[in-house]
Amino acid sequence: MHKAREEKQNIPHRNRARSEQLVMELNFDTTAIEGYHSASQVARILTEKWVADNMFCPRCGSPQINHFQNNRPVADFYCPDCSNEYELKSKNGALGHKVMDGAYDTMIKRITGHENPDFFFMSYSRKQLCVTDFLFIPKHFFVPGIIEKRKPLADTARRAGWVGCNIRIDQIPEQGRIYIIAGGKIKESAEIIQKVNRSNALMVQDIHARGWLLDVLKCVNRLDGDVFSLADVYAFEGLLGQKHPQNHHVRPKIRQQLQLLRDKGFIDFLGHGMYRKTAA
């Protein structure tokens, strides 16, 4: 891991964060943008350089990841040890519930294929020139249901009819939203890797089966308390039926997904239609 350089001057103390394993410099290196004036270019250079200088691989724990050459169509970074690939999405201000992405059809094709990278989501302060939040979402949490289609561009637009999309972060189960930096505070690397490894149990190759599993998991997450009943999950039958209109046997599907979540260690079966959420 690149250690914060103590000799670097004029860095507000509040923008430095440490954990037992990680030392990251949350301020951007502004020397990289000398001579640049385009706001979009400046943002891209600052954010990508920060990742290359500070980020480790949350898959294998390698102390650094490398930047691909520009204009690569699939990913921005890769791990030199495990070869896992990452794409970076950055936003000035809070991430919010959704992050704007590119063409809708292209995104759907990617997440339903076999070359989808993991994603980093960065929120930063343009005013303070620092990172405020950094979120890792593994690729197997991406399903068509979290990709929101935007309205086509107007006929008067240069790319008339083009359809973009938003990534609905709020539609991803909490088990797939793994914060590396939250509110300017860095999480411990051991905690991050443990959460990533645990999330791997939810990896399902078939995109339709994946959608069902994650949707039922989100329903379970919404239930208050740790102990719940099968009837509690049946209460989401209408919602799940709307999300999966091709399936006309929603309750049996719910039971199947609860069994999978039990087998994968996310819930325990207590008997007599009762379940318990396991510790994260």
Side-chain angles (χ1 to χ4, degrees):
M1 179 58 55
H2 291 265
K3 297 185 182 299
R5 297 182 296 273
E6 294 301 327
E7 69 271 21
K8 191 169 183 178
Q9 302 297 319
N10 302 320
I11 298 174
H13 183 268
R14 67 178 180 276
N15 284 338
R16 290 186 175 180
R18 296 173 181 265
S19 72
E20 292 182 8
Q21 290 82 14
L22 299 180
V23 180
M24 290 182 175
E25 177 56 79
L26 298 190
N27 284 78
F28 291 133
D29 179 3
T30 56
T31 61
I33 56 171
E34 293 177 359
Y36 288 91
H37 303 287
S38 165
S40 60
Q41 278 189 320
V42 166
R44 178 182 60 78
I45 293 169
L46 288 177
T47 55
E48 291 184 355
K49 188 175 191 309
W50 183 91
V51 173
D53 287 348
N54 290 276
M55 196 54 215
F56 71 106
C57 177
R59 287 286 186 184
C60 73
S62 176
Q64 68 177 38
I65 58 176
N66 295 340
H67 197 292
F68 276 120
Q69 292 183 349
N70 289 336
N71 301 317
R72 183 178 173 87
V74 176
D76 299 311
F77 299 90
Y78 68 95
C79 174
D81 289 344
C82 70
S83 300
N84 196 66
E85 298 183 356
Y86 301 94
E87 182 168 335
L88 174 66
K89 299 293 180 185
S90 303
K91 182 178 180 180
N92 177 44
L95 285 176
H97 296 308
K98 64 179 73 174
V99 173
M100 186 179 298
D101 197 55
Y104 175 81
D105 289 341
T106 301
M107 187 61 171
I108 293 297
K109 182 178 180 181
R110 284 177 59 190
I111 66 174
T112 55
H114 301 291
E115 296 185 355
N116 195 33
D118 289 325
F119 277 80
F120 291 137
F121 292 89
M122 175 195 291
S123 66
Y124 64 91
S125 169
R126 183 180 296 156
K127 181 178 180 180
Q128 296 184 344
L129 292 173
C130 67
V131 179
T132 53
D133 296 279
F134 199 79
L135 175 65
F136 171 60
I137 299 180
K139 67 190 77 175
H140 56 275
F141 285 90
F142 278 74
V143 293
I146 71 166
I147 308 302
E148 180 180 71
K149 182 184 290 188
R150 300 204 305 267
K151 292 182 179 179
L153 294 183
D155 293 340
T156 54
R158 183 171 59 86
R159 294 187 294 169
W162 183 85
V163 178
C165 69
N166 299 313
I167 300 173
R168 291 291 304 268
I169 294 176
D170 61 335
Q171 295 299 309
I172 296 172
E174 62 189 54
Q175 290 83 356
R177 287 178 271 142
I178 302 171
Y179 276 91
I180 295 172
I181 301 171
K185 295 182 179 180
I186 298 176
K187 304 290 185 178
E188 294 184 1
S189 60
E191 173 189 350
I192 295 163
I193 293 174
Q194 186 270 336
K195 288 184 176 181
V196 173
N197 289 338
R198 179 168 168 79
S199 80
N200 288 340
L202 295 167
M203 191 178 297
V204 177
Q205 293 300 325
D206 182 86
I207 194 71
H208 300 293
R210 186 193 310 172
W212 263 107
L213 183 64
L214 297 182
D215 283 340
V216 171
L217 177 59
K218 284 188 290 184
C219 294
V220 170
N221 288 342
R222 288 174 59 179
L223 296 173
D224 293 330
D226 292 333
V227 177
F228 62 95
S229 69
L230 180 59
D232 291 331
V233 189
Y234 279 166
F236 296 98
E237 181 179 7
L239 174 64
L240 292 168
Q242 290 176 4
K243 288 191 171 187
H244 303 273
Q246 303 89 350
N247 191 295
H248 303 293
H249 305 283
V250 176
R251 289 197 172 195
K253 198 69 176 179
I254 289 174
R255 294 194 299 271
Q256 179 192 58
Q257 302 311 304
L258 290 175
Q259 182 174 335
L260 287 173
L261 289 173
R262 181 203 64 188
D263 294 344
K264 292 175 180 294
F266 288 86
I267 61 175
D268 292 326
F269 179 51
L270 304 178
H272 305 290
M274 299 299 296
Y275 300 83
R276 179 176 55 222
K277 303 175 188 178
T278 61

